[in-house]
Amino acid sequence: MNYLGLDIGGTALKIAILDEAGNIIASSNYPVNFDNYNTPILNTAIEKSEIFLLENKIDKLEGIAISATGQIDVKKGMVVGTGGNIKNYQGSKFKEEFEKKYNVRTTVINDANSAVLGEVFLGNAKNYKNVVMVTIGTGVGGGIVTNSKVLNGTLGIGGEVGHFSINNKGIKCSCGNRGCYERYASMTALIKRVKEELNIENINGKEIFEQININESMKNIVDEWIEDVAHGIISLVHIFNPEIVIIGGAVSEQKELFVNKVEALVKENGMENFVKNLEIEAAKLKNDAGLVGALYYHIKGEK
Ligand SMILES: [Zn+2]
């Protein structure tokens, strides 16, 4: 059985054919911001899907599974809000348009929620029923799975773990609130602290971690940042009581210097019954998480 999968991001669109086991049989990437979004992403997605299916000689589809950036109303399968400034994106009716064109059931889910489902389907949270995923990147994203179901909330935008406040007198956030977790625990926040405190003009996350062992002040800033990351995770663990916490984002590749340290802090500071058997692991799926998770939602999610 062939499923069409789309992973729609702010800069690129990935289109793939997957089988029901989540194997990616063919895939291609296409830019979506080639004309500064004057061509709406929805139009690009439809046009490129047609080309992709022709090129791969696929004429029968079992279903269409879409993972998309921004706030997605999962029932309507449309974009109801954007995290960034993507022109002509809000209001895109992916479900309606794809069902009209291909006449097969189409599901749409937010990319952070599809990432956690990808880990449940084929990644490091396989066979786990209660999972919290926190992705550390430019912002902080995430997804929550309870009793094997992703927490979509009323519209499908639940599990926005970057925007619970850890300090009501803290830094003003782009979401309108103050002191959001993302303002402290994102890679952007770490880089900002390093630049300000060490008077460095240009540095990225990878370079920061390369310098930890030779630069004491760098190490101290990173340690403080890891404490912020860990304390947010402790709050999530107390709320959702997961069996496993999956950490995503490029920094999760730093096992010794990051994941293990977060784990130690969570175990040390969380309530005993919540943390004694808790596992903390890096995400496994990387770039395919969105496609694989969207397919899992398509097959196993609410019909
Ligand atoms: Zn916020």
Side-chain angles (χ1 to χ4, degrees):
M1 284 196 282
N2 288 321
Y3 291 89
L4 180 67
L6 281 87
D7 185 4
I8 298 163
T11 53
L13 157 73
K14 193 177 206 177
I15 305 181
I17 291 294
L18 300 98
D19 66 14
E20 65 274 20
N23 298 305
I24 294 172
I25 292 153
S27 73
S28 287
N29 283 293
Y30 306 91
V32 292
N33 61 347
F34 48 88
D35 60 358
N36 196 27
Y37 307 112
N38 281 328
T39 306
I41 291 181
L42 174 60
N43 296 35
T44 306
I46 287 176
E47 187 191 315
K48 299 302 180 197
S49 294
E50 199 172 339
I51 293 168
F52 176 82
L53 288 168
L54 277 173
E55 279 174 358
N56 288 282
K57 301 189 173 59
I58 304 285
D59 49 14
K60 192 174 180 326
L61 289 174
E62 189 65 25
I64 300 173
I66 301 176
S67 161
T69 184
Q71 298 178 351
I72 307 299
D73 181 324
V74 286
K75 290 193 191 92
K76 294 183 180 146
M78 68 178 283
V79 182
V80 293
T82 55
N85 285 319
I86 305 176
K87 213 162 62 180
N88 294 321
Y89 187 58
Q90 192 163 333
S92 299
K93 294 177 177 168
F94 284 103
K95 181 179 167 67
E96 191 180 310
E97 294 296 325
F98 273 83
E99 286 186 344
K100 201 157 62 183
K101 188 160 172 64
Y102 292 101
N103 213 12
V104 287
R105 183 172 156 259
T106 301
T107 52
V108 191
I109 184 171
N110 163 271
D111 53 1
N113 287 341
S114 63
V116 69
L117 287 177
E119 291 296 321
V120 169
F121 189 13
L122 295 176
N124 284 336
K126 199 171 173 177
N127 300 324
Y128 290 79
K129 291 192 165 81
N130 297 286
V131 184
V132 167
M133 181 163 177
V134 175
T135 299
I136 311 279
T138 314
V140 174
I144 314 285
V145 169
T146 53
N147 289 326
S148 303
K149 285 225 158 92
V150 71
L151 189 151
N152 274 321
T154 308
L155 288 177
I157 58 180
E160 187 68 90
V161 302
H163 296 278
F164 65 89
S165 177
I166 57 172
N167 180 0
N168 67 358
K169 299 211 165 38
I171 308 165
K172 191 102 180 98
C173 184
S174 56
C175 75
N177 205 354
R178 215 170 247 291
C180 286
Y181 183 47
E182 169 171 296
R183 298 268 85 76
Y184 300 86
S186 62
M187 185 47 74
T188 310
L190 172 62
I191 291 169
K192 187 164 174 272
R193 267 195 237 178
V194 166
K195 282 182 178 171
E196 282 171 7
E197 290 177 35
L198 303 181
N199 253 321
I200 296 172
E201 207 142 296
N202 251 317
I203 193 158
N204 63 36
K206 193 161 172 275
E207 288 159 351
I208 291 174
F209 274 83
E210 280 164 1
Q211 289 183 36
I212 288 179
N213 290 328
I214 47 167
N215 183 335
E216 186 70 19
S217 359
M218 187 76 82
K219 184 182 175 296
N220 292 338
I221 295 171
V222 172
D223 281 346
E224 276 177 30
W225 174 73
I226 290 175
E227 277 184 30
D228 285 342
V229 172
H231 282 276
I233 289 175
I234 291 168
S235 299
L236 294 169
V237 165
H238 287 164
I239 298 169
F240 296 104
N241 185 205
E243 301 148 273
I244 188 165
V245 173
I246 299 283
I247 304 181
V251 71
S252 66
E253 282 162 33
Q254 304 278 353
K255 187 163 169 57
E256 308 251 299
L257 294 173
F258 179 67
V259 178
N260 291 356
K261 285 188 173 181
V262 169
E263 179 169 15
L265 285 167
V266 171
K267 296 257 157 117
E268 202 181 305
N269 297 291
M271 281 191 270
E272 196 193 341
N273 285 330
F274 287 83
V275 299
K276 67 180 176 197
N277 295 317
L278 178 71
E279 291 176 46
I280 298 187
E281 293 275 349
K284 182 181 172 188
L285 295 181
K286 318 281 180 243
N287 294 332
D288 295 333
L291 289 171
V292 169
L295 177 66
Y296 185 82
Y297 182 70
H298 185 88
I299 295 172
K300 298 270 174 96
E302 290 100 317
K303 299 270 153 77

